[in-house]
Amino acid sequence: MSDTEITVTRDLDAPRGTVWRVWTEPEYFARWFGAAPESVALDVRPGGAWKANIATPGGEMPMRGVYREVVGQERLVWTLDLPQGVMEMTATFTELGDGRTRVVLRQPAPPQEQCAQAEEGAAQLLDSFAKVLASV
């Protein structure tokens, strides 16, 4: 982690096409993102919107944003609209060979006192993604 960015990396036992599909298709996205399936809408193209309602102990939390960059099976850049402003996130997908793919998730670092929590949240997201991916 740097002072300006949180980076979390996972090497996954699946080809890049499968990883991309699980990341970008609503039925899989709902499972790994922890969203109500009927709330998920993904328009995976530059300028396309996404939304999902996440189940939390305090009730549902609506999340939304816009895809800024989509490079098929290689890179996604999207926004997450938060009460305090818009956060841009990036995921890159690199074919490692032998049917494996590296996913690198990047997001801006929050204030120092929130960094550990933000890094843990990003890691948990990729852990959840890996579990869903393993079931595909």
Side-chain angles (χ1 to χ4, degrees):
M1 181 176 63
S2 75
D3 290 342
T4 60
E5 184 177 83
I6 293 172
T7 302
V8 180
T9 302
R10 288 287 182 282
D11 290 348
L12 303 165
D13 292 322
R16 186 167 61 178
T18 302
V19 171
W20 180 265
R21 196 173 86 233
V22 172
W23 196 283
T24 60
E25 291 183 9
E27 62 272 19
Y28 296 119
F29 181 92
R31 289 173 50 199
W32 64 266
F33 204 68
E38 67 280 356
S39 75
V40 175
L42 308 176
D43 185 4
V44 186
R45 62 181 175 85
W50 73 272
K51 67 177 182 172
N53 290 340
I54 308 304
T56 70
E60 282 195 354
M61 181 172 68
M63 303 187 86
R64 64 188 68 247
V66 173
Y67 292 100
R68 290 192 171 161
E69 183 180 341
V70 178
V71 180
Q73 297 188 13
E74 292 180 22
R75 178 178 163 91
L76 284 173
V77 179
W78 70 97
T79 64
L80 176 57
D81 299 345
L82 301 167
Q84 61 271 30
V86 175
M87 179 172 63
E88 185 174 276
M89 300 184 72
T90 302
T92 56
F93 308 87
T94 305
E95 190 81 50
L96 297 176
D98 295 333
R100 294 174 47 82
T101 303
R102 175 169 293 151
V103 176
V104 179
L105 183 62
R106 292 182 170 86
Q107 69 184 60
Q112 187 62 37
E113 64 275 5
Q114 298 171 359
C115 277
Q117 181 181 5
E119 191 167 16
E120 181 180 326
Q124 287 175 349
L125 190 67
L126 285 180
D127 290 346
S128 177
F129 179 81
K131 286 178 186 171
V132 171
L133 181 65
S135 73
V136 173

